Amino acid sequence: MERTDSDDPTVLLTGGTSGIGAIAARTLAERGATVAVVGRDEDKGTRLADELTGSTGGTVRFHRADLATQDAVRRLAEEVTATYDRLDVLVHNAGLSRQDHTITDDGIELTFAVNHLAPYLLTHELMDPLRATPGARVVVTASGVHRRGELALDDVRLEDGYEPLDAYARSKLANVAFTLELADRLDGEDIVANCFHPGFVPSTALFRDASLRTRLFTRIAAVVPGIGTTPETGADRLVELATAPEYGRRSGGYVGSDGPEEPAPAATDPDRRERLWNVSADLVGIDPDWP
């Protein structure tokens, strides 16, 4: 695969083929960035990359990966490292909410695997290119629903009862806790890590695998004025954390609808964050003493 060699910023954006990810990819490309878009649908991703490259001043490439499997995450990291000469921003935006209790090939509950473990492992695998790029950023799409989540690290497979919203809330709490712990561990290095709440965006594909009741609610919310947030607003928040100078100087932040705010206490508790970090390392088979 041809390797890029450019001074333009390079952004790796998971979940970039639809919703706020696709809108953010366009905005970043219009600003001249090289955007590596990650998704599961080859045809959809290739069409998006071709369309954005042809209509913007940037370069958009599609990388296919199913982030539910750890092997796929590692292959993605290898592909990115071989393709790009820099990594200015790593954006973890892929996410799902699944109605059925599903266990991945790695033995992990699916929502936790995609929404948390994939960002955890992909960040680990891409630390070298992040460190090699001055002023690199890690941006994580979290959610305000993290406030109702419980980490439940003694039951990571959620065998003792499964409720889709609880599983999603747990994964979003893990997103926030991971971001804050990563920022602390990177203290003194030229890399920042921040996360944000994009708002409730009912028109995205996030809830494509949710229950019929949830899917009906989100469809109604998408057309009723005053309910939820537009995808454009969510994408603007993502782009802001990826590009705004103030977020290049701030690390360990959670950004809500009105700017930086305090996340749930469960995400800021040092002991819970460290335990999540160590359990996550064990689940993906890496040394917890990173970065």
Side-chain angles (χ1 to χ4, degrees):
M1 185 174 294
E2 181 181 358
R3 186 179 178 89
T4 65
D5 186 11
S6 171
D7 290 333
D8 292 330
T10 297
V11 180
L12 178 63
L13 173 59
T14 70
T17 60
S18 63
I20 70 172
I23 298 170
R26 173 177 291 279
T27 301
L28 292 164
E30 287 174 344
R31 297 184 184 185
T34 295
V35 186
V37 170
V38 179
R40 295 185 299 171
D41 190 320
E42 181 98 36
D43 291 339
K44 186 176 184 180
T46 300
R47 288 196 304 269
L48 176 70
D50 290 344
E51 192 276 321
L52 292 184
T53 296
S55 63
T56 69
T59 299
V60 180
R61 288 180 172 85
F62 174 69
H63 298 266
R64 185 186 180 282
D66 184 347
L67 301 178
T69 68
Q70 295 170 24
D71 284 347
V73 173
R74 290 186 166 93
R75 286 195 300 271
L76 172 62
E78 291 173 358
E79 187 174 310
V80 168
T81 302
T83 305
Y84 304 96
D85 68 316
R86 61 188 299 141
L87 182 56
D88 297 82
V89 189
L90 171 58
V91 182
H92 298 296
N93 180 64
L96 58 75
S97 176
R98 178 62 66 88
Q99 166 67 11
D100 298 324
H101 183 227
T102 304
I103 301 297
T104 70
D105 291 343
D106 300 306
I108 312 296
E109 187 274 317
L110 180 63
T111 306
F112 193 70
V114 172
N115 295 3
H116 166 64
L117 284 183
Y120 180 88
L121 178 58
L122 187 58
T123 305
H124 172 271
E125 298 295 296
L126 292 174
M127 280 308 303
D128 285 346
L130 286 168
R131 281 194 167 108
T133 308
R137 307 184 189 197
V138 178
V139 176
V140 181
T141 302
S143 171
V145 79
H146 84 275
R147 298 185 185 281
R148 65 163 287 169
E150 296 181 6
L151 290 177
L153 296 176
D154 292 326
D155 182 23
V156 293
R157 290 166 58 97
L158 294 183
E159 302 282 12
D160 187 20
Y162 177 81
E163 200 286 320
L165 183 56
D166 288 345
Y168 182 72
R170 176 181 75 156
S171 72
K172 295 291 104 178
L173 175 58
N175 284 160
V176 182
F178 161 66
T179 305
L180 272 57
E181 182 68 15
L182 177 65
D184 277 359
R185 290 175 178 240
L186 288 171
D187 187 37
E189 296 199 40
D190 193 17
I191 306 173
V192 299
N194 293 291
C195 58
F196 74 104
H197 168 51
F200 171 53
V201 187
S203 59
T204 69
L206 173 64
F207 300 101
R208 60 185 177 271
D209 297 316
S211 66
L212 176 61
R213 179 180 179 182
T214 298
R215 295 199 306 272
L216 288 173
F217 170 75
T218 56
R219 288 175 184 175
I220 294 170
V223 298
V224 175
I227 299 179
T229 304
T230 65
E232 289 76 14
T233 298
D236 286 346
R237 293 177 192 167
L238 188 160
V239 172
E240 184 178 21
L241 265 70
T243 63
E246 59 266 33
Y247 291 110
R249 297 185 293 268
R250 175 182 296 149
S251 191
Y254 171 74
V255 179
S257 301
D258 299 318
E261 61 184 58
E262 279 295 307
T268 61
D269 181 83
D271 292 335
R272 294 188 193 183
R273 283 177 10 202
E274 183 177 15
R275 183 161 184 239
L276 172 67
W277 189 277
N278 292 338
V279 168
S280 301
D282 182 63
L283 290 172
V284 300
I286 62 175
D287 186 341
D289 190 19
W290 74 280

